[in-house]
């Protein structure tokens, strides 16, 4: 990926104007889905259709095959983490989120997902840390602020 447009978009996530942040968010997702070209993007969209239809095992097989063939495709790992999260397979989702973050440290979706999984596992301190990482990338993401507060309450 060409870093200069990505760096500019990451800076736009910190812009006080909501329209600028929304455009940057959409463009980053597009870049991440398109990392392996139109074929990779099409397979990700196909996996989402399978998930939407409730064909979780087919979606998992498709995503696992994509990961096996292209292990540096961060969004394939992220999509599989989402699938695992939807199935309450939190330890597996955590592992996949961690791979996404290693491949793409600015992936606010993976940081958010990691926080959700850790919270579901009762690991509230680690969840707070993950939500804070997501918030550092997207400081206006109110959902992460709310989740930090919820996890903090659960610590007591």
């Amino acid at each position: 990926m060409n870093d200069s447009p990505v760096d500019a978009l990451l800076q736009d996530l910190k812009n006080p104007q909501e329209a600028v942040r929304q455009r940057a968010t959409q463009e980053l997702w597009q870049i991440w889905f398109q990392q392996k070209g139109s074929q990779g993007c099409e397979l990700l969209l196909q996996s989402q259709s399978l998930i939407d239809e409730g064909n979780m095992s087919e979606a998992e097989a498709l995503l696992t095959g994509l990961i096996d063939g292209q292990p540096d495709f961060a969004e394939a790992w992220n999509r599989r983490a989402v699938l695992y999260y939807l199935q309450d397979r939190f330890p597996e989702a955590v592992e996949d989120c961690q791979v996404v973050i290693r491949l793409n440290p600015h992936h606010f979706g993976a940081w958010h997902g990691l926080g959700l999984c850790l919270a579901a596992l009762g690991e509230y301190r680690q969840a707070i840390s993950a939500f804070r990482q997501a918030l550092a990338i997207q400081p206006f993401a109110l959902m992460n602020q709310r989740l930090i507060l919820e996890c903090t309450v659960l610590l007591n």
Side-chain angles (χ1 to χ4, degrees):
M1 287 187 270
N2 186 345
D3 285 338
S4 58
V6 169
D7 289 341
L9 291 170
L10 290 168
Q11 284 305 309
D12 284 349
L13 294 177
K14 296 171 173 58
N15 191 297
Q17 296 180 11
E18 184 177 357
V20 172
R21 294 191 311 269
Q22 286 179 343
R23 178 192 50 76
T25 299
Q26 291 171 347
E27 288 185 30
L28 283 165
W29 280 114
Q30 185 175 23
I31 289 167
W32 295 338
F33 269 74
Q34 292 284 337
Q35 178 189 356
K36 296 296 182 178
S38 59
Q39 184 179 13
C41 182
E42 182 57 39
L43 291 171
L44 293 177
L45 295 174
Q46 185 180 348
S47 74
Q48 187 58 52
S49 292
L50 290 167
I51 291 169
D52 292 343
E53 295 165 6
N55 295 327
M56 302 302 207
S57 61
E58 285 183 52
E60 182 177 356
L62 188 150
L63 290 168
T64 299
L66 189 54
I67 289 166
D68 289 345
Q70 299 181 8
D72 64 335
F73 192 0
E75 196 54 38
W77 288 96
N78 191 55
R79 294 288 99 199
R80 192 172 72 175
V82 169
L83 170 71
Y84 289 156
Y85 177 81
L86 292 171
Q87 295 177 312
D88 295 338
R89 295 165 61 185
F90 304 119
E92 292 163 286
V94 165
E95 289 178 17
D96 279 6
C97 286
Q98 290 170 334
V99 173
V100 177
I101 291 163
R102 274 196 303 276
L103 294 170
N104 180 359
H106 303 292
H107 198 299
F108 50 82
W111 282 111
H112 175 80
L114 179 61
L116 290 174
C117 294
L118 291 167
L121 292 168
E123 300 290 342
Y124 301 117
R125 288 188 199 289
Q126 291 178 311
I128 290 168
S129 178
F131 292 134
R132 283 186 177 147
Q133 290 291 334
L135 203 54
I137 300 165
Q138 281 187 309
F140 291 92
L142 297 178
M143 176 63 73
N144 289 317
Q145 293 175 9
R146 183 177 64 80
L147 290 166
I148 289 168
L149 290 174
E150 287 179 15
C151 288
T152 301
V153 167
L154 292 169
L155 283 173
N156 299 324

